[in-house]
Amino acid sequence: MATHVFIATTQGLVAVNNLYTLPGAVANSTVTAKGFSQPLPIANNYHNFVKLGSGIIEEDFGEGKFRIDLSDEITQGLSWQLGFYLAHAARHCGILGNGQPQPGDHIICATGAINTAQRRVVEVDHVPVKIEWAREQLTLWQSMCSVLFLLPQANAEEITEVEGVTFQLVEAPEEVALFLPDHAAIRPLHKSTLLPAESPEQVPAPSSRSISYWIAALVACAGIAIISGVAWQWPGSGNPAQAQSDTQHQGVVSSSADHSTPVPNASPDPALTLALETQHGETCGAAKMSKAPVSEQDNVFNEVAVNKNLCRIAVLPSEAVTALLFIGLGEQRVVLRQLPMNKPFIPLPQGKGTKRYYLAALADELNEKTLNQLKGYLFEQASPTTLTRGEVEQKLVQLMPRFSLYQHTLSGE
């Protein structure tokens, strides 16, 4: 199954038909339409969006010059940037489609500009118009494909519902990987998740900076929505018996940790609640909310079955929580969210299967140095697919004074 990327514009949806690396002798990345050679007016902006220094594409996906061919022209503005970044992420994972969806494929539409200096997805204009122009096509697609629409968090109030279409908000470009469908069947679940290139021109060798970034924060290429602290693991990617035994830890202090490391027991402890938002009526617009039961002894939430009535799962932190940590083991990513922020959500897995994840609630802000130490431990010194909860908890004890680690399981239909 392919993932097709569409840019939402005020004239309708524009598909990414192709994205590939250009020969080394080519000076600039370019954007074309309908297969013709004439660069579009946004080509220079795209080149700057790609190159090291001013942009983020080469930084995140490896150095090179690229050509994106679109189904129609985009002549101005910057709201294409989120969709283009998404296309590069999908290509990097080997799942980018050609803009011609087939039954069972995944469709992701996007609009959003990116502040490359701050790595932040920023507000764009005319969101209601873009949704309205896309409505008819989205309605047709939703009967045969899963349809997702990504927008900046700053445009949250401008969303108008479309039946069968899920709208999600992003604040940072790396979060788009959380929305890509899981492709475990074609992606090796080991430390290096970079897919082998069929030829040198197809997938450029990423820079060391790019490898570090993707291993630590993005290569996951799975899930949806921004969340606090999550570690997806497919069944069979570790020792199930060991995973079960690993749940016998109290959130703030790990029983498997090196107890020579002092762990303050200041009160109150950082705590999380999960709220299940289920469909009420025809759409998720009037969702009902109910709390997910959790074992107070070992911080394990009851398993939740993902079905068409489950709209999303919200993470509700207590006042003692100052930061939420997203840790992806099998998916190899780390995303940190400092509070306060709008209510974060847990991504619902697409397709069949069961996934286990962790939520880390931190009582103190996590600085970049400590975050990098955690990334290095998880993805350079350990095997992510066999790393246990106890081992993760022990490392957190070494790096930060107070935290709570939660476990949850989602099962697909």
Side-chain angles (χ1 to χ4, degrees):
M1 294 183 292
T3 296
H4 304 273
V5 175
F6 291 83
I7 315 302
T9 76
T10 55
Q11 303 300 314
L13 294 174
V14 175
V16 174
N17 291 144
N18 206 351
L19 168 56
Y20 56 91
T21 306
L22 297 172
V26 176
N28 293 339
S29 296
T30 191
V31 185
T32 56
K34 301 178 181 178
F36 293 106
S37 61
Q38 180 65 31
L40 298 183
I42 64 170
N44 285 337
N45 282 338
Y46 172 61
H47 173 69
N48 291 328
F49 184 63
V50 167
K51 71 179 183 179
L52 289 172
S54 61
I56 58 175
I57 297 300
E58 284 190 309
E59 178 180 354
D60 291 356
F61 304 101
E63 296 184 22
K65 303 299 183 292
F66 301 92
R67 174 177 173 176
I68 285 186
D69 192 51
L70 305 175
S71 63
D72 210 337
E73 293 188 358
I74 297 178
T75 59
Q76 60 185 356
L78 298 175
S79 60
W80 47 267
Q81 290 180 331
L82 181 60
F84 279 27
Y85 188 95
L86 174 66
H88 276 277
R91 173 185 177 273
H92 192 79
C93 294
I95 57 174
L96 179 63
N98 62 2
Q100 301 177 27
Q102 301 299 313
D105 284 352
H106 302 279
I107 294 170
I108 306 182
C109 306
T111 181
I114 297 176
N115 182 318
T116 58
Q118 299 177 1
R119 297 192 65 91
R120 184 168 55 90
V121 179
V122 298
E123 184 178 8
V124 293
D125 296 329
H126 311 302
V127 165
V129 175
K130 293 173 182 178
I131 295 175
E132 195 57 38
W133 273 96
R135 182 180 298 274
E136 182 178 355
Q137 187 61 67
L138 294 176
T139 302
L140 292 174
W141 278 333
Q142 63 88 23
S143 64
M144 68 174 190
C145 301
S146 66
V147 184
L148 186 67
F149 204 121
L150 300 186
L151 307 102
Q153 177 70 50
N155 290 108
E157 300 300 322
E158 300 180 77
I159 294 175
T160 56
E161 287 194 15
V162 179
E163 184 178 357
V165 177
T166 300
F167 289 85
Q168 297 288 356
L169 304 170
V170 294
E171 294 180 291
E174 58 266 28
E175 291 164 4
V176 303
L178 309 180
F179 299 85
L180 294 174
D182 196 301
H183 58 296
I186 63 172
R187 176 176 55 82
L189 289 177
H190 52 69
K191 184 165 66 174
S192 174
T193 58
L194 301 177
L195 297 176
E198 296 181 6
S199 68
E201 293 185 359
Q202 283 184 308
V203 179
S207 64
S208 59
R209 187 177 182 184
S210 171
I211 293 174
S212 174
Y213 177 83
W214 271 85
I215 288 181
L218 181 59
V219 172
C221 310
I224 40 181
I226 303 169
I227 60 176
S228 56
V230 178
W232 293 128
Q233 287 188 328
W234 283 101
S237 63
N239 185 326
Q242 187 176 24
Q244 290 298 320
S245 66
D246 288 335
T247 64
Q248 305 304 316
H249 297 277
Q250 192 65 21
V252 179
V253 183
S254 170
S255 62
S256 65
D258 179 0
H259 292 291
S260 63
T261 304
V263 183
N265 288 317
S267 182
D269 292 328
L272 297 177
T273 301
L274 294 187
L276 311 180
E277 297 189 8
T278 54
Q279 181 173 318
H280 180 59
E282 296 297 324
T283 70
C284 286
K288 288 185 175 180
M289 181 178 292
S290 60
K291 290 187 177 180
V294 60
S295 167
E296 295 184 0
Q297 180 179 358
D298 50 21
N299 285 355
V300 177
F301 289 99
N302 288 3
E303 181 172 333
V304 170
V306 177
N307 54 57
K308 62 182 180 180
N309 293 322
L310 181 61
C311 300
R312 56 189 180 181
I313 303 177
V315 181
L316 308 178
S318 69
E319 291 184 1
V321 179
T322 63
L324 300 171
L325 188 63
F326 177 103
I327 305 172
L329 300 182
E331 307 297 350
Q332 296 191 328
R333 60 182 181 263
V334 172
V335 176
L336 174 68
R337 286 291 168 264
Q338 305 285 5
L339 298 181
M341 63 175 290
N342 288 332
K343 184 167 51 179
F345 299 95
I346 292 174
L348 303 182
Q350 298 186 2
K352 298 180 180 180
T354 299
K355 292 184 178 182
R356 189 179 82 239
Y357 63 86
Y358 304 138
L359 304 173
L362 312 183
D364 301 288
E365 291 188 1
L366 193 62
N367 60 43
E368 185 175 357
K369 179 180 179 180
T370 303
L371 181 62
N372 287 336
Q373 286 179 314
L374 179 61
K375 292 176 181 179
Y377 169 75
L378 292 176
F379 307 122
E380 294 175 10
Q381 302 175 17
S383 175
T385 56
T386 60
L387 205 60
T388 66
R389 170 175 170 167
E391 291 169 327
V392 174
E393 207 163 22
Q394 180 175 355
K395 190 61 181 179
L396 291 177
V397 167
Q398 297 172 2
L399 294 176
M400 57 200 67
R402 289 194 299 131
F403 67 92
S404 295
L405 190 64
Y406 292 80
Q407 179 174 312
H408 193 207
T409 299
L410 294 176
S411 58
E413 291 184 323

